[in-house]
Amino acid sequence: MRVAVLVLGLASFTAAQTPGDTSTPQAEIIKVDAGAKTTPFPHFWETMFGSGRAVLSLRDSYRQDLRSVKEITGFRSVRFHAIFGDEVGLYDPDRKPIQFAQMKDLKPADTNNNSGVYNFSYIDQIYDGLLDEGIHPFVELSFMPRKMASDPESQHPFWYKPNVTPPRDFSQWDAMITAFAQHLVDRYGIEEVSQWDFEVWNEPNIDFWRGKPAQATYFELYDHTALAIKKVNPKLRVGGPSTAQAAWAGDFLRHCKEKNIPVDFVTSHVYANDTAKDVFHTDEEIPRDKMVCRSVRKVHDEIASSPLPSTPLIFSEYNASYANEPNVTDSIYMGPWLATTISQCDGLTEAMSYWTFSDVFEEQGVVRSPFYGGFGLIAEDQIRKPAFNAFAMLHQLGNQRIPVASDSALATRRPDGAVVVALWNYAPPDGTGAAYTKPPATRGPDREFTLHLAGAPANANATVLRLDETHGNVISTYDAMGRPAFPSRKQIVRLREAGKAAPPESVMVRDGKLSIKVPPQGLAVVVISNGKAKR
């Protein structure tokens, strides 16, 4: 990898200017004391990712993207919808045994008992594929098999039409959950499966659940499911309510306590463009860079004041948008948005699952363009988006947080002694909604940071990683191509190259100081070695 080397008196390192940017604001001084008292900083934002629906995990493109994201994050678990979807084929009470003995050249002794209502063939292929990649399933128990549904014709509008009604007979649901969990334990062993999490349903407070009234009927579903899971083995972990808009956590825990229903964790979801009316029941305007972590704190505080205050919290979905907004999830905007979200949510949750790691995804139908505002880190054809590079950069952060007095900086220390600092210049998206807006002539002024380092060598080597308009940004290349809906194979090669991270740039800290400019919607991660700089 080519590395640019710069040696400056007061190591002043300037990014390429955003077109039209002529202002020179005063530098913000960030004091970083490597010897200061730190707090633990687990990488809660990169241990788990979401993905579309279960059957997609059988695709080679899905598995390629999974490997790519695991390589940069080391993530350990993945969540998806619809493991009970009819296309997975688990449940069919009308299934007839195949009469192998009647087929030519086969004898009865060659046949197996295949007369059950459960078919684990795809289930096994799905979970085997994840485990082969070193990934644990985070098992979302959804949706309703059509032949078990109380209303077989009631479908969610997603392209794959999941059934989202309660079971017509809870004894059938209980038997399926028991058979499913028992099969997993028999196949993989309790030591493995006890590391998985079983989450009951998905977003029952909105249109993914048509029980009436929604909360009471969901609680009934949860009770049946949790008791069936624990009956198989009490070591299995189960939780919920997997709500949208950070809802129901307090009510859910009070219900579990009152009814003596097991619960090992609480899950909920939020997106940065959710409204305050939906989440907090207020009319305030909460900006996109504040919504997620205000919502996480809401749920955190509800758990703390509940009858089960030590219950772990997992946000099993989050992103900067719940809609397809190309100026948001496809763009460099994700760099500073991710950094500030991580900084604010630290200490409030055990894990946050970014929705999603890949645009191998079909909730709205078959993808019609590589950059349509998909949720994933990787677009179709293995093209890496700016968000992929942001995750790779933020992975470099250490596991101990160093206090700094800035809302645009995050300082950490790694086990090897290196100090790693993320710096960002947050600016709103260039546009919102489904239509793409071209970047403006300027997004505003660059932001200059001057790091004052204490407790580290006064003269040290440092590496700077960047994501901004001219670094690690495939969208500028895609725009220059005219944004083709179906790029040619040659164009795909160019886009893959353009999506790669910018080469790291080497600078030297002089007299404990380092200055860096970050353009609007830019993210910089500075890795400062604990050794003395080479002369």
Side-chain angles (χ1 to χ4, degrees), residues 50-52 79 81 271 317-319 353-356 361 363 375:
S51 64
R79 172 184 179 269
H81 301 319
Y271 288 82
E317 284 186 28
Y318 82 103
N319 202 322
S353 179
Y354 185 87
W355 186 261
T356 60
F361 192 86
E363 289 182 355
F375 303 118

Side-chain angles (χ1 to χ4, degrees), residues 325-377:
E325 296 188 277
N327 289 105
V328 180
T329 50
D330 288 343
S331 76
I332 60 169
Y333 169 81
M334 295 303 294
W337 182 84
L338 279 165
T340 191
T341 297
I342 290 165
S343 179
Q344 295 171 59
C345 292
D346 175 30
L348 298 177
T349 177
E350 183 177 281
M352 294 179 71
S353 179
Y354 185 87
W355 186 261
T356 60
F357 76 78
S358 170
D359 279 351
V360 177
F361 192 86
E362 294 175 345
E363 289 182 355
Q364 289 78 41
V366 178
V367 172
R368 294 175 176 269
S369 165
F371 296 106
Y372 63 97
F375 303 118
L377 304 185

Side-chain angles (χ1 to χ4, degrees), residues 397-417:
L397 292 168
N399 60 2
Q400 293 291 319
R401 186 167 184 173
I402 301 170
V404 293
S406 174
D407 63 0
S408 298
L410 175 58
T412 65
R413 190 173 64 230
R414 294 199 310 213
D416 63 4

Side-chain angles (χ1 to χ4, degrees), residues 3-8 11-13 414 418-421 423 451 453 456-465 503-510 512-516 525-534:
V3 177
V5 179
L6 300 155
V7 181
L8 305 173
S12 176
F13 191 56
R414 294 199 310 213
V419 173
V420 185
V421 183
L423 304 165
L451 301 180
L453 301 165
N459 300 301
N461 295 310
T463 300
V464 180
L465 309 174
E505 297 156 324
S506 182
V507 297
M508 295 180 69
V509 177
R510 293 298 193 193
K513 296 178 181 179
L514 176 65
S515 290
I516 295 180
V525 171
V526 186
V527 182
I528 303 154
S529 168
N530 66 336
K532 292 183 178 180
K534 295 180 180 179

Side-chain angles (χ1 to χ4, degrees), residues 91 144 148-150 166-175 224:
Y91 179 78
M144 193 60 60
M148 190 184 290
S150 54
R168 64 168 176 261
D169 183 342
F170 266 106
S171 67
Q172 295 175 347
W173 174 264
D174 294 350
H224 278 267

Side-chain angles (χ1 to χ4, degrees), residues 21-28 445-448 517:
D21 182 13
T22 57
S23 57
T24 308
Q26 185 175 1
E28 177 181 352
D446 289 355
R447 192 166 182 177
E448 185 171 1
K517 282 186 179 180

Side-chain angles (χ1 to χ4, degrees), residues 436 439 468-481 483 495 498:
Y436 177 68
D468 52 49
E469 186 66 29
T470 58
H471 297 81
N473 178 25
V474 67
I475 299 303
S476 59
T477 299
Y478 186 61
D479 286 352
M481 287 180 177
R483 298 184 67 83
L495 291 169

Side-chain angles (χ1 to χ4, degrees), residues 99-122:
Q99 300 300 321
F100 286 113
Q102 299 175 7
M103 297 175 65
K104 187 178 179 180
D105 299 327
L106 287 178
K107 300 177 181 179
D110 297 322
T111 66
N112 294 316
N113 182 359
N114 58 85
S115 60
V117 300
Y118 308 116
N119 180 355
F120 293 102
S121 178
Y122 276 9

